[in-house]
Amino acid sequence: MEYAISILLSGISVGGQYALIAIGYTMVYGILRLINFAHGDVFMVAGLMGIYFTSWLTSVMSPGAAVLCSLLLVIVMTVLLGFIIERVAYKPLRSAPRMSVMISAIGVSYLLQNTATYITGGQPMTYPSIPFLFDTVTVAGNNIKWAVLLTPVLVIILVLALTQLINRTKVGMAMRAVAKDFETSRLMGIKINSVISVTFVIGSALAAVGSILYFTNYQSIVPTAGAMPGLKAFVAAVFGGIGSVPGAVIGAFIIGICETIIKGLPSAWDVSVFSDAFTFALLIVILVFKPTGLFGEKATDKV
Amino acid sequence: MLEKKSKKGSVIALVCILVILGGVILLENVSMFMENVPEVLRPTSQLFTVLKKGAVYSLVAVSMNLLNGFTGLFSLGQAGFMLLGAYTYAILTVPMASKDQVYYLFGGSAVKFSLPDLFAGVLGAEGVGGAVSMVLGVLIAMILAGLVAAFFAWLIGMPVLRLKSDYLAIATLGFAEILRAIFQWQRLGPITNGANMIKNFPTFSSFNIENSAGETVLRLSTFVPFLVAALCIAIIVLLINSSYGRAFKAIREDEIAAEAMGINLSKHKQLSFCISSFFAGVGGALFAMYSANAQAKGFNSTLTYEILLIVVIGGIGSISGSVIATFAYVACSEWWLRFLDTPTTFQSESSRTMFIAALAVAGIAITALLLLRARKKKGGTGMMAAACIPAVVFVGYDIYYAMSGAMEVPFLRTGFRMVVFSVIIMIVVLFFRNGLMGTREISDLFKPKAKKEAAK
């Protein structure tokens, strides 16, 4: 029972971290129809920034303040990174075929990974232990990090705020309009480029928050650390119905929980190697039987 | 472009292939006849690594181009099919003698035969008989590698090929990841050796002909991948120029129109997917031979992305573009850019000054180019300002470096090669969107212009 609770809790927390990444995927896909392959690597870069900023700031101020400042700095810099990537790599290709943009995204992902390898020297880096988040608490006989408990709460708060933003504000309205019809919304006087930038900014900020929680949990960062969470978050976005924020979050929670359960099955069964494969099997099944996902809108092909 | 291929054209192409193959043999064996060959032509030179890897990758790139460029199906499963090919080849050709050593963790292999040994049992293991049985075994294992990949492609193609562009891409990517997990499963250890590598099977260097004293008399280790790749690429080219190929192109241009013209969409997509996977499987077998081991870990999505980038650089829809881009890509990553990975110091003050000047010029040149583009597009002041960033960064760093008085060449250390390389790739993707060749082939470059206009 205790074991089951610990698995469930860590599943929910992993799911929450995937959810934070998945929102970035789903919003970008909803607006640009682009699988932003670089998003997982932005997440990884945010993790690396956390390491470098903390070690840099602890030399100038007290440890507690340094961590807080570095976390804020990580979010700001990740947002900047997302913004720059969009402006440099995607904006010039706005009128190009969708495949070119996707290839550009793959190129950016390649660049980020290689730069990370260059800077870190390819060695796994250890994420700093953030006070409070890293402290453990005993729940039903299990020692659990605060980050694990806090993740779902934080995710729910952020998602509620985001849905309010999308449904109630002018920017949100513009986003929905652009997602519905690119050309028409442009004719209606919506500044497409700034709407897209806002989307990337939100996505990157959430990825930065996700990276703080995720890497507090799994402390080792290698340059390819973002690829697998990124792909899984994308699967979550497809599962929930791409373009839908609540769908992505629910999909992410389901995938996170299933994955942790598979990892936690008795080791005699030897199935933990399939925890990644399961996600993709789920993806193929979903794509074949319900391509629009759980909450996706039915798309109609125009001839 | 529905021009009829003339007989003369095919003869020229055949002659070209033969000349290239002959050239490869000659290049490889020059060091045998002549004492004082330059370092580049020695068997240990990077040149031959590049040629071997280039031949392997070019086959995979062309197979991907058949699917992505000619049929318009955006698939990212190439690494998965390569994995199937590599493992099929490796499992079937590990010699009986080294099975226990390779599979020592699982107490021997479940596959109780080895193709080269089977033939050796009939033809004899020594001399010509041994050589023939090795070649036969490798050949059959390679064909089986392709067939296994094609079978799995057929299996997964049935549900997946109905999906549209990015969904297809992500589904095939997922399929490749699933395969990778299955091949690492410990329960399948007696067949796949779990997460460990399979090795000791015949590789390219097994094809070098040795005399009875054990000295190499004729090197064929670069020729073999070239021969296989040339053969497979030739088959793909013939396919593309056939009625099937025209149907593929029609599907790429417009699915609905193609269907209206009586092309069976699902049948042709399935066909293209299977054929592409067949050759990816053969390419995987070659890749296993090139790297002398087969391990599931290496066949990840990065490999697929690498191949995809090659196809894009060469031009989506151009076979010769893919081949040229492969060799350029492999040469850059394995050979020409190697110097970027080793830290060096300037020999003299003047070369340091030269370097500083070159860096400044490069920064200003990039900005000038960007400014020109911004002017042409009337991008506004924001874009103009953004275009100045490279110059500011470069010159700023230049001044800092000149002031610091350090004599080391800046940046050079492990990993810098790949950074430069990915920057080059980004430049190609952003500014030369059609790649090297676009949809043209190399033969188009030699045709008189007037004829080309008439063909339209």
Side-chain angles (χ1 to χ4, degrees):
Chain A
M1 190 60 204
E2 278 172 14
Y3 187 59
I5 288 178
S6 87
I7 293 229
L8 196 65
L9 276 177
S10 90
I12 290 174
S13 122
V14 172
Q17 287 141 16
Y18 288 162
L20 290 175
I21 315 174
I23 292 171
Y25 273 111
T26 208
M27 286 176 67
V28 167
Y29 192 91
I31 288 180
L32 278 183
R33 299 275 175 268
L34 156 74
I35 302 178
N36 183 8
F37 277 106
H39 195 59
D41 299 289
V42 169
F43 166 81
M44 178 272 300
V45 170
L48 283 182
M49 280 191 213
I51 294 174
Y52 284 106
F53 289 156
T54 320
S55 72
W56 173 55
L57 284 174
T58 25
S59 59
V60 289
M61 55 178 88
S62 71
V67 166
L68 205 68
C69 286
S70 82
L71 293 189
L72 285 177
L73 207 55
V74 164
I75 295 178
V76 172
M77 294 306 282
T78 313
V79 163
L80 201 64
L81 179 69
F83 177 76
I84 291 173
I85 288 176
E86 196 277 320
R87 275 294 145 102
V88 173
Y90 304 149
K91 193 173 163 234
L93 299 176
R94 196 102 341 135
S95 55
R98 268 161 68 189
M99 197 161 141
S100 309
V101 195
M102 194 156 150
I103 288 158
S104 180
I106 290 176
V108 172
S109 143
Y110 206 56
L111 177 64
L112 289 180
Q113 281 185 19
N114 285 328
T115 314
T117 313
Y118 173 62
I119 289 171
T120 61
Q123 298 299 318
M125 306 286 282
T126 314
Y127 203 69
S129 317
I130 298 166
F132 182 66
L133 280 186
F134 196 70
D135 298 339
T136 52
V137 61
T138 311
V139 177
N142 298 291
N143 281 329
I144 286 171
K145 283 177 195 159
W146 269 108
V148 171
L149 286 183
L150 211 64
T151 307
V153 181
L154 202 61
V155 169
I156 289 169
I157 294 172
L158 285 173
V159 168
L160 284 181
L162 191 61
T163 36
Q164 291 302 311
L165 178 89
I166 291 174
N167 290 330
R168 296 286 163 82
T169 64
K170 215 162 180 184
V171 182
M173 201 198 272
M175 277 179 179
R176 281 181 286 144
V178 175
K180 205 90 184 169
D181 194 327
F182 212 86
E183 288 305 315
T184 314
S185 49
R186 179 177 267 169
L187 291 175
M188 295 294 158
I190 294 172
K191 290 200 180 83
I192 302 269
N193 288 329
S194 49
V195 170
I196 291 170
S197 291
V198 169
T199 316
F200 272 83
V201 163
I202 295 174
S204 309
L206 292 176
V209 176
S211 87
I212 294 167
L213 295 167
Y214 184 87
F215 290 117
T216 301
N217 219 357
Y218 306 94
Q219 281 192 298
S220 165
I221 307 185
V222 288
T224 48
M228 204 29 97
L231 276 179
K232 280 183 189 161
F234 179 75
V235 174
V238 173
F239 186 66
I242 199 130
S244 145
V245 172
V249 173
I250 292 171
F253 275 119
I254 292 176
I255 284 177
I257 292 170
C258 290
E259 182 196 308
T260 334
I261 289 176
I262 291 177
K263 268 187 193 157
L265 286 178
S267 54
W269 296 0
D270 264 343
V271 287
S272 62
V273 73
F274 290 112
S275 66
D276 295 346
F278 165 79
T279 314
F280 295 108
L282 188 73
L283 168 80
I284 292 177
V285 171
I286 277 285
L287 282 180
V288 169
F289 291 106
K290 201 168 182 317
T292 50
L294 291 179
F295 299 94
E297 284 170 35
K298 187 118 186 76
T300 41
D301 266 341
K302 282 167 247 170
V303 179
Chain B
M1 276 210 298
L2 281 173
E3 48 192 316
K4 200 149 190 179
K5 291 270 163 184
S6 61
K7 210 166 185 182
K8 208 173 110 197
S10 351
V11 172
I12 292 175
L14 196 67
V15 170
C16 282
I17 293 174
L18 290 179
V19 166
I20 291 174
L21 289 177
V24 167
I25 296 194
L26 209 62
L27 202 64
E28 216 178 356
N29 290 292
V30 158
S31 61
M32 251 10 134
F33 316 121
M34 285 190 286
E35 282 300 314
N36 296 317
V37 287
E39 200 55 42
V40 186
L41 293 177
R42 302 233 176 256
T44 47
S45 144
Q46 280 289 328
L47 172 70
F48 295 108
T49 317
V50 167
L51 287 178
K52 284 175 201 167
K53 195 175 179 188
V56 176
Y57 270 40
S58 63
L59 172 57
V60 184
V62 169
S63 81
M64 191 171 199
N65 208 343
L66 170 68
L67 200 57
N68 291 17
F70 288 94
T71 322
L73 293 173
F74 195 27
S75 151
L76 292 177
Q78 230 62 4
F81 297 115
M82 280 175 80
L83 178 138
L84 283 170
Y87 266 85
T88 311
Y89 171 79
I91 290 166
L92 292 177
T93 55
V94 175
M96 293 310 284
S98 41
K99 283 226 165 177
D100 286 340
Q101 188 205 336
V102 171
Y103 288 93
Y104 74 98
L105 280 174
F106 300 94
S109 166
V111 182
K112 296 286 181 219
F113 64 93
S114 152
L115 285 177
D117 287 359
L118 276 186
F119 287 106
V122 183
L123 299 166
E126 295 299 316
V128 181
V132 170
S133 57
M134 206 257 305
V135 171
L136 269 180
V138 166
L139 192 69
I140 290 176
M142 231 186 259
I143 293 172
L144 282 175
L147 287 178
V148 167
F151 172 73
F152 275 89
W154 176 74
L155 220 58
I156 190 69
M158 279 191 290
V160 159
L161 282 178
R162 285 183 296 161
L163 302 168
K164 290 264 153 57
S165 58
D166 347 333
Y167 286 103
L168 176 65
I170 201 83
T172 43
L173 188 71
F175 176 65
E177 291 292 328
I178 294 173
L179 280 179
R180 203 155 64 89
I182 293 176
F183 275 81
Q184 286 179 320
W185 194 22
Q186 291 293 323
R187 287 287 171 88
L188 288 176
I191 301 171
T192 63
N193 208 8
N196 317 92
M197 57 173 72
I198 304 183
K199 51 191 177 190
N200 289 349
F201 48 79
T203 60
F204 291 146
S205 46
S206 318
F207 288 90
N208 290 338
I209 297 174
E210 292 176 348
N211 59 15
S212 49
E215 290 164 339
T216 313
V217 285
L218 184 65
R219 287 185 190 285
L220 292 175
S221 60
T222 314
F223 170 71
V224 169
F226 264 81
L227 181 69
V228 177
L231 213 65
C232 292
I233 292 173
I235 294 172
I236 295 177
V237 169
L238 288 177
L239 177 83
I240 286 170
N241 290 330
S242 72
S243 68
Y244 287 107
R246 286 194 291 275
F248 292 163
K249 286 184 206 165
I251 294 174
R252 170 187 70 185
E253 296 302 335
D254 191 333
E255 280 194 11
I256 294 160
E259 199 168 22
M261 299 309 283
I263 294 171
N264 186 339
L265 276 190
S266 62
K267 192 185 124 199
H268 280 89
K269 281 183 178 179
Q270 186 71 271
L271 190 70
S272 168
F273 194 51
C274 288
I275 292 172
S276 163
S277 305
F278 176 87
F279 288 111
V282 175
L286 287 177
F287 188 70
M289 291 169 89
Y290 161 76
S291 48
N293 65 62
Q295 193 172 20
K297 214 167 67 181
F299 295 91
N300 50 13
S301 45
T302 316
L303 182 63
T304 307
Y305 295 160
E306 221 176 350
I307 307 285
L308 177 68
L309 289 173
I310 290 175
V311 172
V312 171
I313 293 170
I316 297 172
S318 163
I319 298 284
S320 42
S322 291
V323 175
I324 295 168
T326 312
F327 282 99
Y329 181 98
V330 174
C332 278
S333 70
E334 299 279 326
W335 191 20
W336 293 338
L337 294 180
R338 277 272 170 210
F339 72 95
L340 291 171
D341 263 5
T342 37
T344 33
T345 48
F346 287 115
Q347 294 303 319
S348 63
E349 194 62 39
S350 62
S351 55
R352 180 168 178 268
T353 322
M354 284 271 282
F355 172 80
I356 292 173
L359 206 62
V361 169
I364 292 166
I366 292 171
T367 291
L369 275 178
L370 286 176
L371 276 178
L372 266 177
R373 277 180 75 94
R375 269 258 303 276
K376 225 184 273 171
K377 279 190 182 162
K378 300 191 190 94
T381 46
M383 250 176 104
M384 295 289 219
C388 293
I389 293 174
V392 172
V393 171
F394 272 68
V395 175
Y397 180 80
D398 231 18
I399 293 168
Y400 163 77
Y401 180 69
M403 301 287 274
S404 74
M407 282 303 273
E408 292 96 45
V409 184
F411 303 122
L412 298 194
R413 85 179 131 93
T414 313
F416 191 56
R417 173 178 59 116
M418 291 313 283
V419 176
V420 171
F421 193 45
S422 31
V423 170
I424 295 174
I425 287 172
M426 277 315 293
I427 291 172
V428 171
V429 169
L430 286 178
F431 297 108
F432 306 95
R433 225 171 293 162
N434 291 328
L436 285 173
M437 308 286 287
T439 52
R440 290 170 303 168
E441 293 295 343
I442 196 150
S443 54
D444 297 344
L445 298 180
F446 300 114
K447 274 184 196 141
K449 231 182 177 147
K451 209 173 156 191
K452 215 165 157 190
E453 292 298 317
K456 276 179 188 169

